[in-house]
Amino acid sequence: MQLPDALAPEPTIRLRIDEQALAHNWRALDRMSGKASAGAAVKANCYGLGVDACVPVLRDVGCDAFFVAHWSEVEALLPHVDAAQIAVLHGPVRDDDVRFAKATGVVPVLNSLSQVRRWNAAGGGRCHLMVDTGINRLGIAAGELGEPEIAKLNVDVLMSHLACADEDSVRNQTQLKAFRECLPAVQHNRASLANSAGIALGAEFGFDLTRPGLALYGGIPRPELASTIRQVAFVDAAIMQVRTLCEGNAVGYNGEFIAPSGMRVATVSLGYADGFLRSRGPGAALQHGDASLPVLGKVSMDMIVVDVTDAPELGEGDWLHVPMHLPDEAVQSGLSQYELLTVIGSRLR
Ligand SMILES: *Cc1c(COP(=O)(O)O)cnc(C)c1O
């Protein structure tokens, strides 16, 4: 049964994407990439923010290289961008993946000699090639670049990935040097090394194409980006019920919060199924104007309880703001900025 849109009730939870902030972030990262142009990592549904909301903005501001991890992520992008602008980072793990690439025109990132053989066996064509320079996840070893199968490839982007770009680690220079040494070994059109944090490491990390993800969506992996990158994701949740507690009343599962005295609390439509994980609970607070409303007790799947004693004007249906300033929330919760975004639940869309 198809329900008419007009029938859909207003939700009690919402995610707003600031499209101007997203466009600004891409432009800023593109500028910081020096002579390189910036692409965009749009894997994991644009880090949880939604392909349909983000990819058209990135396309319209000038981005023309989009990276996903899985072949299954391609379909959501195809209404928005040309298949030839989409690259799949995991590469062709199975023969089916090659068939899919051939049929759609999406570009595989080849990560191993077996992926290279698989691609060549199907006739080859434009591809990207990942070389490992020290992260030891995916990528051809530098020592394999002389293999005859590699020489047969039509490599557009020769790439590698930094392991420690968010730190001041000597490994960044080691990987840069290793990547430079790989460049003469393989014919290619463009070279690409930097993710968001890598862009902030300096122009020598830019090469021809950069691949920011996190910073596009408001993450700040290095302090150099703090003054430039704007918050993109804004989350609000509505109050479903307000109640009065007496001294000694316990709140939520396992009664972890016990009211020290009478207080007014609100039950809010936001839980770990929406991406507000239990680790965000202790010490966290929602906001309403200038009022800070501490989270009480355990985060449930679909709700949390907050202290609204100091905000007597609040009642059922009122919207509360969920803080999403990623660097602060990461410190507060012990989660990475990446995790805070990618766990945002589908009920917010
Ligand atoms: C995810 C990913 C990126 C983007 O990294 P951020 O740290 O989010 O900017 C770039 N390149 C590769 C290979 C990736 O897997």
Side-chain angles (χ1 to χ4, degrees):
M1 185 173 81
Q2 188 85 44
L3 295 178
D5 281 351
L7 196 61
E10 192 197 2
T12 51
I13 191 168
R14 65 188 180 199
L15 165 67
R16 184 175 67 82
I17 302 300
D18 184 336
E19 298 185 353
Q20 277 165 13
L22 177 60
H24 162 90
N25 289 347
W26 185 84
R27 269 194 229 100
L29 291 160
D30 186 58
R31 211 175 307 119
M32 289 177 75
S33 297
K35 71 172 180 55
S37 40
V42 296
K43 58 199 182 187
N45 199 22
C46 287
Y47 289 44
L49 304 195
V51 162
D52 291 337
C54 297
V55 169
V57 174
L58 294 167
R59 174 200 65 206
D60 292 346
V61 76
C63 181
D64 63 6
F66 299 87
F67 295 88
V68 292
H70 290 255
W71 295 94
S72 62
E73 296 180 299
V74 167
E75 191 172 355
L77 262 77
L78 287 175
H80 305 300
V81 300
D82 282 350
Q85 300 181 338
I86 304 169
V88 177
L89 290 162
H90 282 3
V93 175
R94 307 198 177 88
D95 290 345
D96 278 357
D97 301 332
V98 172
R99 266 197 294 282
F100 183 86
K102 293 278 184 187
T104 55
V106 169
V107 186
V109 177
L110 304 179
N111 292 293
S112 65
L113 273 183
S114 67
Q115 290 195 356
V116 168
R117 281 190 209 102
R118 188 168 286 124
W119 186 243
N120 282 337
R126 177 172 165 249
C127 64
H128 304 327
L129 184 65
M130 176 71 80
V131 53
D132 179 60
T133 53
I135 193 167
N136 284 302
R137 300 188 314 185
L138 291 176
I140 308 239
E144 294 172 327
L145 290 175
E147 293 283 327
E149 287 280 335
I150 303 272
K152 292 185 206 160
L153 294 173
N154 171 10
V155 178
D156 181 358
V157 180
L158 181 62
M159 63 174 85
S160 191
H161 192 52
L162 296 166
C164 311
D166 58 345
E167 297 175 273
D168 292 324
S169 166
V170 291
R171 294 199 189 154
N172 293 323
Q173 288 300 328
T174 310
Q175 284 196 266
L176 176 63
K177 183 164 173 284
F179 186 54
R180 281 207 182 109
E181 286 167 8
C182 289
L183 297 181
V186 185
Q187 279 238 353
H188 60 277
N189 295 328
R190 297 179 286 172
S192 174
L193 178 63
N195 60 349
S196 302
I199 292 171
L201 287 177
E204 72 272 28
F205 286 81
F207 294 92
D208 303 307
L209 176 69
T210 57
R211 309 184 305 268
L214 183 72
L216 291 173
Y217 311 111
I220 300 175
R222 293 190 60 92
E224 295 91 332
L225 295 170
S227 60
T228 312
I229 294 303
R230 294 191 194 155
Q231 184 174 341
V232 173
F234 295 82
V235 174
D236 299 290
I239 294 175
M240 299 186 290
Q241 188 170 132
V242 174
R243 60 203 308 123
T244 304
L245 301 183
C246 302
E247 181 186 338
N249 284 166
V251 172
Y253 286 121
N254 312 113
E256 282 192 359
F257 176 81
I258 296 175
S261 57
M263 61 195 293
R264 204 168 162 266
V265 301
T267 305
V268 180
S269 173
L270 175 75
Y272 55 76
D274 306 302
F276 196 85
L277 303 187
R278 283 209 164 154
S279 56
R280 285 191 75 178
L286 303 194
Q287 274 140 16
H288 186 261
D290 290 336
S292 184
L293 314 169
V295 174
L296 307 175
K298 269 190 180 158
V299 175
S300 300
M301 186 184 293
D302 316 303
M303 53 194 121
I304 53 174
V305 174
V306 300
D307 182 355
V308 292
T309 309
D310 294 340
E313 74 284 6
L314 285 173
E316 266 179 40
D318 286 340
W319 288 101
L320 304 182
H321 189 59
V322 183
M324 286 294 284
H325 183 259
L326 297 171
D328 293 347
E329 294 310 305
V331 170
Q332 201 274 320
S333 63
L335 297 166
S336 72
Q337 297 181 51
Y338 296 84
E339 290 168 298
L340 286 165
L341 289 178
T342 55
V343 296
I344 290 176
S346 55
R347 292 193 295 204
L348 278 81
R349 279 180 282 275

